[in-house]
């Protein structure tokens, strides 16, 4: 395999959460670009000194007001397709959890809304979040 070393590429590290309960998934409405006003999974950048699973739990609480223990998050996989984010190269590790019942979310941080959506009536999702959701649903 040949590697092209003529192009420098900054890779950013993120984490996303697929929270599933009673046939619904928790989504947030993005408050800024890219995809401002679109629905997405809660998630964001992994901070310095943080693991992706800790970042996933933090982002879920910051964006949707829902606390989930790190031990309750199950890894779905890594998503790293070139072009999955219009800002550049992003690699996201996705996690899933299933609370016993839907918890009432409250939007925060960069989310303008947070709500549970029926899995059979989803809006168009930002980024490759439909693929991430499908991968998480396949695990259940």
């Amino acid at each position: 395999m040949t590697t092209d070393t003529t192009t420098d590429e900054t890779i950013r590290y993120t984490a996303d959460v697929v929270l599933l309960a009673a046939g619904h998934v928790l989504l947030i409405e993005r408050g800024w670009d890219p995809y401002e006003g679109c629905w997405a999974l809660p998630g964001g950048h992994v901070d310095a000194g943080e693991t992706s699973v800790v970042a996933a739990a933090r982002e879920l609480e910051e964006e949707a007001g829902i606390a989930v223990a790190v031990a309750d998050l199950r890894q779905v996989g890594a998503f790293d397709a070139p072009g999955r984010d219009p800002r550049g190269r992003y690699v996201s590790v996705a996690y899933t959890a299933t609370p016993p019942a839907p918890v009432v979310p409250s939007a925060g941080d960069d989310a303008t809304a947070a709500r549970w959506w029926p899995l059979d009536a989803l809006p168009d999702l930002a980024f490759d979040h439909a693929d991430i959701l499908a991968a998480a649903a396949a695990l259940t």
Side-chain angles (χ1 to χ4, degrees), residues 7-108:
T7 303
D8 287 332
E9 183 176 43
T10 300
I11 298 174
R12 292 164 186 91
Y13 187 30
T14 59
D16 294 306
V17 179
V18 181
L19 199 62
L20 299 166
H24 290 71
V25 64
L26 179 77
L27 299 176
I28 58 106
E29 185 177 30
R30 291 185 53 82
W32 58 52
D33 280 329
Y35 299 105
E36 181 178 0
C38 292
W39 292 93
L41 298 168
H45 291 92
V46 176
D47 290 342
E50 213 175 28
T51 63
S52 60
V53 70
V54 168
R58 175 183 52 76
E59 288 287 345
L60 177 61
E61 189 163 11
E62 287 177 359
E63 293 185 345
I66 296 175
V68 171
V70 168
D72 292 336
L73 290 167
R74 179 176 165 203
Q75 191 176 115
V76 174
F79 295 81
D80 63 355
R84 64 179 295 271
D85 190 310
R87 297 171 290 186
R89 188 67 184 261
Y90 279 76
V91 175
S92 186
V93 179
Y95 295 88
T96 189
T98 304
V103 180
V104 177
S106 63

